[in-house]
Structures are given as C-alpha cells and as structure tokens.
Amino acid sequence: AVVSTQSTGSSGFTGPPSSNGAAINGGSADANSLPGLTPTQNKVFNALKQCSPENQTGLSLRDIQKDLPLSMNEIRSAIDFLSNEGHIFSTVDDEHYKLTDHC
C-alpha cells in the first residue's frame, strides 16, 4: 500500500498543498521577496514593510498606490490575499494595513 504524506518545509510548517503555487507564476527570488507571492503581492508587501513599527495606523491603500505603479484593483487583490494568508492586518479601517510581524 502506498501512503501519501504531505512534506514540510524547512520551517517545519505543514501548509496546504496550494500554499506555494504562486511562486511558480513568476514570483521572483530577490532578497525582498516573500516566497510564494506573485510579483504584485511582493510589491505591496514590501511597501507595507516600509511602514515604521511605531506607526499605529499603518499605510493606507492610497499611500501604497502613490508609491507603486499598480491599479487600485491590483492593490486590493494583493491586500486581500496577504490579509487572508495572515501576513497583514487592517488597523483603523478597511483602508489601512500593517504587517503582522514587522521584519
């Protein structure tokens, strides 16, 4: 009998099989990239990374749009993904976000 097991990454975390599929679709592997994110998601993540840990409000979607050549739909889509994956959280309203763990 063949037993199927799910492998763990170097961190030991066992995630769903599709959790890292985004990297296959053109994700880059530079020092500022988070594995498993699309280039657009990485751009938004890195923009949020620039927010000071002391800033309780975080960055607004408009601030992110000012800094990145992305449409608001692309930004919202990336924000939704990052939020659902637990990388970011909303602060004062649905327009302001911070990283969950400031790197």
Side-chain angles (χ1 to χ4, degrees), residues 51 54-60 89-93 95-98:
C51 183
E54 291 80 30
N55 180 339
Q56 298 298 311
T57 306
L59 285 181
S60 73
F89 64 97
S90 61
T91 59
V92 295
D93 57 26
E95 299 286 315
H96 292 81
Y97 291 85
K98 286 186 72 166

Side-chain angles (χ1 to χ4, degrees), residues 4-85:
S4 175
T5 60
Q6 189 174 14
S7 65
T8 60
S10 60
S11 67
F13 174 76
T14 302
S18 63
S19 67
N20 62 3
I24 296 168
N25 296 328
S28 62
D30 64 44
N32 293 324
S33 293
L34 196 61
L37 300 185
T38 66
T40 298
Q41 292 162 351
N42 263 310
K43 287 177 186 175
V44 172
F45 180 82
N46 286 326
L48 288 164
K49 224 175 169 178
Q50 303 309 310
C51 183
S52 166
E54 291 80 30
N55 180 339
Q56 298 298 311
T57 306
L59 285 181
S60 73
L61 298 180
R62 296 281 176 214
D63 289 337
I64 295 169
Q65 188 179 34
K66 287 178 196 172
D67 292 338
L68 299 176
L70 300 171
S71 72
M72 189 55 75
N73 285 340
E74 290 174 306
I75 292 169
R76 286 186 190 278
S77 177
I79 289 288
D80 287 345
F81 178 84
L82 293 168
S83 180
N84 289 337
E85 291 294 311

